[in-house]
Amino acid sequence: MKLLIIEDEASIMDRLCRLVRNILGDSLQSLETATTLPEARKQLDQAQFDVLMLDLNLNGQDGFELLKKLSSRAFHTIVVSAYTQRAIEAYDLGVIDFIPKPFDEERIKQSFKRILGSDTQRSHFAKFLAVRNHGRIELVPIQDIEYIQADGPCSLIAQKDGSLRSHDKMLKDLHQLLPPQFDRVHKSYLANLESISGLYNGGNHKHTLTFPSGRDIPLSRSKAKELRNKLES
Amino acid sequence: MRLSRLLHLIPLALLLVSADSLHALDPNLGFDRIEIFERSPDTGDIIPASKHVIEHDYPFATNLKLVPLLPRHFEIRLPLSLKNDLTSSKSDVISLYLGATFELYFDQQLIGTNGILSPTGQEIEVGRSYNSFALPKVDSPQTKHTLRIRGTHTHTADKHNFIIVLNSLEGSLSATRTTTITYCLFLGFALFGVYLLAYFLLNRKLPQYLFLGLSCLLFSLYAVNKLFYYQLNVEYPNLDTIALIANFSNIALSTCAPIATLLVFGYRRPWMFLLSLAPLVASFTPIPLYIVPRTFLLCLGISLVALFQKRPHAFYSTLICSLLVASYQVPFLVNNQAYSFGVLMVFFLVSTINLLIQESRQRNQTQLRNARLQLELLKSKIQPHFVLNSLTSAIEWIETNPQQGVKLIQELAKEFDLLSAISEQALIPFETELESCRTYLRIMEYRKKARYELKLINVNEQAELPPAILRNLLENALSHNAYGQGHIVFQLRETASKRQRQFEFSAPYLGSETTPPPDGTGIKYIKARLAESYPNWSFEHGPQDTRWVTKIQLPK
């Protein structure tokens, strides 16, 4: 795992580094740090990361605008902050976890368990996915999403209006941020079950899900059965 | 209050000065008695046996009840004699407020008519309510003259009076000017009444403003009515309508004014409000006063009781009511009501100014209260961030270097203790603030693993300042600059002049802004604290070379 930590207080930075090293051990491939925004931007441009740990109150500036930009990137973002009242806002934008200060090793371990998939217990989900559109960041409300399709290391977000938007995150990473109505119906597709218009059983065990925009996506066999039961009940 | 004292003196001065000049306006001729005859409806001639003589003190005017004194067909005779030396050739004017149709004779000469009478004295064309006629010039002081008013009226109810006024031409014009001024003063009353009503509508809590406002409006309505009654030249039967309107407003005023007076003094018992019916009830008794002066007398009575009980505003209310009563009873003031009402307007002006000052003070209080609340709010926003970050740092120190960790926690305890003690007060000795700041810097040294130094130049540690000002400046510097783990020096310099103290705080500045950004939480807090304790202060900040400099000026 490649990690970047952005925190302006030296003792807290030291703590994060120490605890992360304890938790990840050898699976930590690289750990980079930044204490200011310019430093962070440099790091983000130069290298690839899997996870970012971010303090929202860097040098007195409100981190939410930065957060919108960061949540459009390929890596997961963990917010570590004293601003506990804004946790829900952060989740809405699509962070994988919000760790309130003060924190201990257990709490950070829990966060990484979420990222690695062994802890699927979540109560807060993203309400928006941040996509980059001609240099600007657009927040796509999740109720406007029909399905998400894998596209190499990235994803394509299919909206109700028929558009397809690219997102830097992998499908499995997006799945971790989205609420239960988003189901991994196929190895390459995440469907918003609240947006489907129909389920078709084609010949040759080819099952498809159809959407109001007219598009359809393939369903795995096991998923098709599961969904049919769910929908019939 | 010095200004209002001065304003009180001005009308008194006016009264004294003008008292002298009045005699210059007296007419040449006057009358010592009034003779009233009945005329025969058939022939139009007087019936000598019906002669009724009224002896008169004041030679230039009379004001008598119309219905009981004047028969339907009448003749009024005024034997005239010279009252002043015939030094100038000024002419005299007779003004007749007489609701009748008549002909006016100066000796045998017909000098004017009001309406048209038949040869036998029957009413052919209805006359008007007010007329003025010029009297012929008198040549020699020896001759005697008689004014004869030969007329007819159709009044049946005892509602009206008739007034005969002899005046010089200048005197008549002067009276007109006075009336105009009085109209303007009553308009002022009306406007003041409207202001009070508007104030009540905005502040429903104070019913005295409703009644005061209504009283002022009704009083001006009554007064304007009265003036209209005597100034409006209508066909005389219409006087009944004018009188009716005046009566309604009189009755309304007679209840509103006492209620207003009671409410101003805070009397709220229901039985007290029954007093307001007293002037109206007294109309049915033989008490000789008219309803309006009776009302003012009642208000005066209530004010005197309030004065005895030492209630607020009692002195002013007594003064105003005395003046109002005097303007109807004291002969000089009755004839020159403009003066008393002028004085009243000055009183009202002063009280309006007082009201505005009070309101402004209240607004300031509210602003201060808001500033206080803002302060509380800001405090609650600032604290959790500091606490949680410090605790996180403390946990780290405990786990990696327990000794240092314990020291940090002790500093934290000291800081929280200091903060909770000083935050309640508006001003604290500066040495307490310095202790809090030094503790704060030591905590930040642990958190940021850096070295911080606070240099003081010329600072008076015994003087008082609002709490957390320096602390907020330090917090701002530390949070907005990425100082890293170096050695940072903050500086505070104090310069005192005769009336002011100036504080200059500077910190290294790592940014590139040339002008200050919009006020953040810390600056807002500082400004709120300054506004709370000082009537005038200044705060400015900005970059200067490689440092950010903040200058605060306070009165000593």
Side-chain angles (χ1 to χ4, degrees), chain B residues 295-513:
Chain B
T295 310
F296 293 143
L297 208 57
L298 174 61
C299 293
L300 178 61
I302 298 171
S303 304
L304 285 170
V305 169
L307 190 65
F308 180 74
Q309 290 185 339
K310 299 207 175 114
R311 296 203 178 215
H313 312 302
F315 174 71
Y316 284 112
S317 181
T318 310
L319 221 52
I320 292 170
C321 292
S322 311
L323 194 58
L324 282 169
V325 168
S327 68
Y328 282 90
Q329 301 309 314
V330 173
F332 167 74
L333 289 174
V334 169
N335 295 327
N336 298 286
Q337 279 186 334
Y339 290 115
S340 28
F341 294 138
V343 172
L344 269 175
M345 276 318 295
V346 169
F347 274 128
F348 277 123
L349 256 170
V350 168
S351 62
T352 313
I353 293 170
N354 269 333
L355 202 69
L356 287 171
I357 293 172
Q358 258 180 41
E359 273 181 279
S360 154
R361 260 194 221 130
Q362 256 185 0
R363 216 176 299 127
N364 281 342
Q365 291 275 29
T366 321
Q367 272 179 350
L368 267 176
R369 220 175 299 132
N370 285 340
R372 204 69 180 64
L373 289 173
Q374 255 195 0
L375 228 126
E376 300 300 323
L377 206 67
L378 291 174
K379 267 198 307 194
S380 64
K381 278 192 187 165
I382 293 169
Q383 303 264 37
H385 188 255
F386 174 73
V387 170
L388 295 171
N389 272 306
S390 301
L391 288 175
T392 311
S393 186
I395 296 178
E396 180 63 9
W397 277 102
I398 294 268
E399 288 182 6
T400 55
N401 189 338
Q403 264 189 335
Q404 293 301 316
V406 167
K407 285 210 179 102
L408 170 56
I409 291 184
Q410 282 170 327
E411 298 285 358
L412 277 173
K414 197 185 200 176
E415 181 68 350
F416 294 146
D417 202 15
L418 275 167
L419 277 177
S420 66
I422 65 181
S423 65
E424 295 307 306
Q425 295 162 56
L427 291 169
I428 54 164
F430 199 50
E431 63 183 348
T432 314
E433 172 72 16
L434 281 173
E435 207 190 323
S436 161
C437 290
R438 288 190 180 111
T439 313
Y440 169 74
L441 283 177
R442 282 196 292 271
I443 293 168
M444 294 313 286
E445 280 180 337
Y446 278 106
R447 274 171 55 176
K448 303 251 188 181
K449 294 196 170 168
R451 255 207 72 203
Y452 301 124
E453 193 187 322
L454 177 62
K455 237 192 211 158
L456 299 173
I457 302 172
N458 211 22
V459 171
N460 179 4
E461 299 191 18
Q462 306 313 314
E464 290 202 324
L465 269 181
I469 293 204
L470 179 60
R471 197 203 139 108
N472 267 283
L473 291 172
L474 287 167
E475 275 182 25
N476 262 5
L478 282 168
S479 66
H480 290 113
N481 293 289
Y483 290 136
Q485 295 179 280
H487 175 200
I488 305 294
V489 178
F490 303 104
Q491 188 173 287
L492 180 70
R493 178 203 300 268
E494 181 177 347
T495 38
S497 64
K498 251 194 225 166
R499 291 204 193 127
Q500 291 203 312
R501 293 147 75 189
Q502 179 170 293
F503 292 94
E504 193 181 289
F505 173 82
S506 75
Y509 179 52
L510 302 176
S512 54
E513 304 286 325

